[in-house]
Amino acid sequence: MLSDNVKKGMQQAPARSLFHALGFTKEEMEKPMVGIVSSYNEIVPGHMNIDKITEAVKMGVAEAGGMPVVFPAIAVCDGIAMGHVGMKYSLVTRDLIADSTECMAIAHQFDALVMIPNCDKNVPGLLMAAARINVPTVFVSGGPMMAGHVDGRKRSLSSMFEAVGSYAAGTMTEDDVTNYEEHVCPTCGSCSGMYTANSMNCLTEAIGMGLRGNGTIPAVYSERLALAKRAGYTVMECLKKNIRPRDIITKESIINALTVDMALGCSTNTMLHLPAIAHEVGFDFDISYANPISEKTPNLCHLAPAGPTYMEDLNEAGGVYAVMKELADAELLNTDCMTVTGETIGENIKDAVNKNPEVIRPLDNPYSSTGGLAVLKGNLAPDGSVVKRSAVAKEMLVHDGPARVFDSEEDAIKAIKGGDIHEGDVVVIRYEGPKGGPGMREMLNPTSAIIGMGLGSTVALITDGRFSGASRGAAIGHVSPEAAVGGPIALVHEGDMIHIDIPNMELTLKVSDEELAKRKAEWKPKETNVTGYLKRYQALVTSGNRGAVLELPKA
């Protein structure tokens, strides 16, 4: 056992004395030491119940013969961080979580790990850490929130942000907004639509690192506690069988995850996180992989914000396994991939059943014949950009309009809410990329303001930043190269015509090559004045099309 390095022999008597200081018995120190990575805190609704999940995991590990030991992982609530400087500190925590978990696990020589994430950056951060550490590991999340109810209709956090836009447009009163505020988020859990947190927890099942139901069993269900206990049992089985993350997280399983992503209609943020996870196992994931997979993978689910169904509905319909079974029946998945159950994907999903064809459309009646995401390229995004096409109004799939250019999110929101954006416009928000922000802020406030102002079917938004999973509309993010490094988005002038063609994956600035070359020669980088962790992050982060992974600068 790895933990023998800190528990066995005369040389480790000082370490054993510290274990005695923790109250460990000699009998416990004979057992495998299993780290329980708990992201519990009291500021994120998706994490407020993780203390109970943690206790259930500990019980499962102990019952299965292990010695459970808890240590923490941080978490930022994107909804609370949205729309101010705090959002610069969201994406950056993904790598901080991976780094700190790696440090804790290796410093203390854990034999196995159970990861308990829930919200946006915890799931990918801990998947990255699992791949690095490569000891037997199982994931169990805190679970999704139940949908809220406003005036007899299901609602969620995206409805709340759009209500603020409606208030600015004069179509909602302050009392209306307060009614939403008090009812859209009724329970603990990750927000109830197919936003980034739930997308990543569902994809953990698809990759094979989480048990059935990990992405969909609501946080308030007792079934979630039973799942946590089973995660404890399962990690001990993985330890006995020596099943490790790099046996599970492979090129093939990541392509499976991308395929499931297309069927579910996941958040565009998965196109940051899947490349970053792939990077940890040596798979150079090009976001352009998305298009050929999307072209052959039907979009089977329209969960909020794309449609009227929520995570609880997906759970009742059969969950992620039911979606995977539909895909496997069409030979769109590699069913030979290993999972934490000790069985393959194919063995895991063989008995899955689609219980509600309105929530999970069957293959012969998809929402669309193509997947939920698309990567657009062109002279405005030579290295690519990402759009959640399943959440785009049909009339906006192809659009030509004049650029309305803003060098920050705040300036754009002021113009949108001030009535300065009109039908047909293409809002361009730049210098918000990984380096330019720094931190690649989510643009839920401006996208929600556009929807709330009644412009969702006539106005597009393009940015080198990114979008919340709660965003909908013609919102094109991750434009690469970003403005901060002189990408073409930095060269757009007010009034330039932009052509968007989502079916043909094209994003074109209608300006001649000669004029762009002239503008590039005159371009000067925008100065940023950041300190602390953001300064280090800015120096190391790569482009959005590479997953915004951290790398040392080339000499």
Side-chain angles (χ1 to χ4, degrees):
M1 293 190 295
L2 273 179
S3 61
D4 287 349
N5 292 329
V6 293
K7 294 188 303 187
K8 298 290 186 180
M10 184 56 65
Q11 185 69 24
Q12 293 307 322
R16 289 196 298 276
S17 73
L18 294 169
F19 285 132
H20 286 300
L22 291 165
F24 294 164
T25 65
K26 290 181 178 180
E27 290 81 2
E28 285 178 306
M29 283 189 269
E30 292 297 320
K31 299 176 180 179
M33 189 163 68
V34 181
I36 315 297
V37 187
S38 170
S39 56
Y40 167 77
N41 65 46
E42 294 183 341
I43 189 63
V44 184
H47 293 238
M48 63 181 286
N49 65 317
I50 283 179
D51 56 340
K52 296 178 178 60
I53 302 294
T54 301
E55 289 304 312
V57 171
K58 287 175 65 179
M59 184 178 295
V61 168
E63 287 180 353
M67 181 178 77
V69 182
V70 178
F71 66 89
I74 63 167
V76 164
C77 178
D78 281 17
I80 295 172
M82 197 73 67
H84 57 89
V85 67
M87 182 45 70
K88 293 178 183 288
Y89 286 86
S90 171
L91 178 61
V92 304
T93 64
R94 182 191 70 186
D95 298 270
L96 198 57
I97 290 162
D99 292 347
S100 58
T101 303
E102 175 192 357
C103 291
M104 286 292 289
I106 295 178
H108 300 103
Q109 294 290 282
F110 288 103
D111 297 300
L113 298 165
V114 178
M115 306 292 199
I116 313 178
N118 210 26
C119 289
D120 295 22
K121 310 311 170 303
N122 285 84
V123 188
L126 290 177
L127 281 166
M128 291 162 67
R132 288 184 201 172
I133 301 160
N134 202 36
V135 298
T137 303
V138 175
F139 276 67
V140 57
S141 76
M145 184 183 291
M146 301 292 286
H149 290 82
V150 179
D151 300 328
R153 297 179 64 185
K154 285 186 176 182
R155 297 294 188 189
S156 62
L157 185 65
S158 55
S159 310
M160 185 71 252
F161 278 88
E162 290 171 13
V164 174
S166 297
Y167 175 78
T171 58
M172 268 195 182
T173 67
E174 186 172 346
D175 286 344
D176 292 333
V177 175
T178 300
N179 188 28
Y180 271 69
E181 181 183 326
E182 293 175 350
H183 295 100
V184 297
C185 296
T187 70
C188 62
S190 47
C191 296
S192 56
M194 188 54 80
Y195 310 145
T196 306
N198 292 326
S199 295
M200 290 307 304
N201 280 319
C202 287
L203 295 190
T204 302
E205 289 189 56
I207 289 173
M209 290 295 293
L211 298 175
R212 182 176 190 166
N214 180 59
T216 60
I217 298 170
V220 293
Y221 282 15
S222 297
E223 187 183 356
R224 174 64 55 179
L225 297 177
L227 182 72
K229 292 174 187 175
R230 287 197 295 273
Y233 306 153
T234 301
V235 79
M236 295 304 295
E237 284 299 309
C238 287
L239 183 59
K240 290 175 186 175
K241 297 175 182 177
N242 197 29
I243 299 172
R244 298 170 181 255
R246 289 183 204 166
D247 300 322
I248 297 168
I249 307 173
T250 62
K251 178 179 179 179
E252 291 74 21
S253 70
I254 290 169
I255 295 298
N256 273 351
L258 184 55
T259 303
V260 174
D261 186 327
M262 294 298 173
L264 285 172
C266 290
S267 163
T268 54
N269 281 316
T270 61
M271 295 304 290
L272 282 174
H273 301 321
L274 288 177
I277 295 162
H279 180 74
E280 297 294 342
V281 295
F283 169 29
D284 186 11
F285 182 106
D286 187 320
I287 62 170
S288 295
Y289 289 144
N291 288 344
I293 291 175
S294 182
E295 285 305 294
K296 65 182 181 181
T297 306
N299 179 223
L300 305 180
C301 301
H302 261 194
L303 284 85
T309 53
Y310 295 81
M311 297 306 296
E312 63 207 63
D313 302 311
L314 178 60
N315 187 62
E316 295 301 318
V320 177
Y321 274 26
V323 175
M324 293 173 71
K325 183 66 163 56
E326 294 278 358
L327 296 173
D329 286 347
E331 298 184 346
L332 293 172
L333 288 184
N334 183 328
T335 55
D336 293 329
C337 292
M338 178 52 62
T339 74
V340 292
T341 67
E343 297 188 319
T344 65
I345 286 288
E347 291 168 324
N348 284 350
I349 66 174
K350 67 180 185 297
D351 297 324
V353 175
N354 181 355
K355 301 175 184 177
N356 189 336
E358 293 302 312
V359 176
I360 304 171
R361 290 277 186 93
L363 289 167
D364 60 1
N365 183 35
Y367 282 101
S368 67
S369 60
T370 54
L373 300 180
V375 172
L376 313 185
K377 288 190 175 183
N379 69 341
L380 186 51
D383 293 336
S385 61
V386 181
V387 63
K388 186 173 182 175
R389 64 176 165 189
S390 60
V392 178
K394 288 183 179 179
E395 53 267 44
M396 290 299 292
L397 291 171
V398 178
H399 180 75
D400 288 82
R404 303 297 309 280
V405 183
F406 303 94
D407 287 351
S408 72
E409 177 189 2
E410 288 82 358
D411 290 346
I413 291 172
K414 183 178 178 181
I416 296 165
K417 291 185 176 179
D420 294 333
I421 302 300
H422 308 289
E423 290 187 6
D425 285 348
V426 178
V427 176
V428 177
I429 305 177
R430 61 192 181 190
Y431 295 103
E432 291 285 6
K435 283 186 180 292
M440 205 178 187
R441 289 195 287 181
E442 286 186 342
M443 300 291 158
L444 180 55
N445 273 341
T447 57
S448 298
I450 287 170
I451 298 294
M453 296 288 285
L455 298 171
S457 61
T458 59
V459 169
L461 193 155
I462 297 172
T463 181
D464 53 8
R466 61 194 179 93
F467 297 110
S468 165
S471 290
R472 61 188 175 107
I476 300 166
H478 308 198
V479 171
S480 301
E482 62 175 294
V485 298
I489 192 172
L491 311 179
V492 181
H493 285 185
E494 185 81 7
D496 285 348
M497 292 300 292
I498 293 176
H499 173 66
I500 300 166
D501 187 342
I502 295 173
N504 289 308
M505 287 81 170
E506 295 176 358
L507 183 61
T508 307
L509 178 63
K510 292 186 173 181
V511 173
S512 69
D513 292 344
E514 292 78 13
E515 174 63 19
L516 287 177
K518 178 183 175 183
R519 293 181 188 181
K520 183 62 181 287
E522 296 171 351
W523 174 78
K524 294 181 180 179
K526 180 183 176 183
E527 291 186 10
T528 57
N529 183 24
V530 293
T531 59
Y533 183 58
L534 286 184
K535 187 173 183 178
R536 280 177 280 152
Y537 184 86
Q538 186 178 54
L540 298 176
V541 71
T542 60
S543 178
N545 71 297
R546 296 190 56 211
V549 297
L550 303 187
E551 288 184 348
L552 292 173
K554 294 179 180 178

